[in-house]
Amino acid sequence: MKRNKHYAFVLADSLIALTIISLGITFTLICHQCLVRQSKKQCIDLAAYRIAKEATDELITTHRPVYIRRDKLSAVTSEEKVIVSLGGQTILEVRK
């Protein structure tokens, strides 16, 4: 009888170790997915800030409203505001 209990203890120990390793791997994958999503958002935000800067610089030099389109981003500037949108969704809006 003692031998069976010993094997059961080893099995329980292995199951606990497997559970901890599985949780660690799952947590790591979730964190990686969040980091990738944040990186994509930061790239889009950086592109939006750059196109907004370019549009406002052109507005300052020409003194008339500007519309710029780069890839999927579009920027519209006037004397009162700058709006940058991605596929119809506003990403950045700055008002005077």
Side-chain angles (χ1 to χ4, degrees):
M1 278 304 238
K2 281 191 175 184
R3 276 190 141 166
N4 291 341
K5 287 184 182 180
H6 181 33
Y7 290 133
F9 178 74
V10 172
L11 179 64
D13 190 33
S14 297
L15 287 174
I16 290 171
L18 180 64
T19 303
I20 291 171
I21 291 171
S22 298
L23 288 173
I25 291 171
T26 303
F27 180 72
T28 302
L29 291 175
I30 290 171
C31 288
H32 177 70
Q33 185 179 18
C34 289
L35 288 173
V36 168
R37 191 175 299 143
Q38 284 178 350
S39 176
K40 285 181 183 179
K41 184 175 177 355
Q42 287 176 346
C43 286
I44 290 172
D45 288 346
L46 180 61
Y49 294 139
R50 285 180 177 172
I51 195 171
K53 173 74 167 109
E54 183 180 343
T56 54
D57 288 346
E58 189 173 332
L59 174 71
I60 290 171
T61 57
T62 62
H63 298 290
R64 55 191 167 100
V66 177
Y67 176 80
I68 297 177
R69 182 162 179 86
R70 300 276 187 268
D71 295 329
K72 295 180 181 179
L73 289 172
S74 60
V76 178
T77 61
S78 64
E79 292 292 330
E80 295 84 28
K81 63 184 175 182
V82 178
I83 299 175
V84 179
S85 58
L86 175 69
Q89 180 182 7
T90 300
I91 295 175
L92 176 69
E93 182 173 355
V94 180
R95 294 187 179 269
K96 196 171 189 181

